[in-house]
Amino acid sequence: DRAERWTLRREAYRTLAEARGAIAVSAAELPALARHTEGTDEVAAVLERLVDTTTACAVHLDDTGRLTSRHVEQLTELLEEFERGRGRVGLRAIELTIAV
């Protein structure tokens, strides 16, 4: 359902904005916590780019019914970048996959 997908994307952007806010507050106001969250802002940025790319893919899918190889490459690159960042900051594994 197209409307539901747009709602989910808006929620994803809002949640990422909240995460960015929490990261900024911890860095500015909670120095003891900030050293444990170092690098999380980069992970949030990757997640934002992933949501942007997913949105672009969804629009393309709505228009054409399929993804281009470039879309798949972009998603794969972002997922790999996310995994590298996640590993650096010690985040638990999150299942993100591309179904083509």
Side-chain angles (χ1 to χ4, degrees):
D1 175 19
R2 182 183 267 187
E4 185 176 346
R5 288 194 314 265
W6 286 109
T7 299
L8 290 171
R9 279 190 282 283
R10 278 192 307 274
E11 289 175 13
Y13 282 116
R14 284 187 197 115
T15 301
L16 285 168
E18 289 173 11
R20 287 281 208 156
I23 291 166
V25 167
S26 74
E29 297 180 4
L30 306 167
L33 180 61
R35 71 171 183 252
H36 297 290
T37 61
E38 187 177 331
T40 54
D41 51 339
E42 288 93 2
V43 173
V46 172
L47 287 170
E48 287 171 345
R49 291 195 317 273
L50 189 56
V51 171
D52 288 341
T53 303
T54 302
T55 299
C57 290
V59 169
H60 188 77
L61 278 170
D62 284 344
D63 292 343
T64 67
R66 63 185 221 81
L67 289 179
T68 66
S69 59
R70 182 63 192 138
H71 284 123
V72 174
E73 288 171 19
Q74 287 176 317
L75 289 169
T76 301
E77 289 169 10
L78 286 167
L79 288 171
E80 290 170 356
E81 187 176 348
F82 170 76
E83 283 301 315
R84 286 190 302 274
R86 182 190 64 77
R88 280 194 305 274
V89 298
L91 293 174
R92 288 179 292 147
I94 299 172
E95 182 75 22
L96 294 176
T97 58
I98 303 172
V100 194

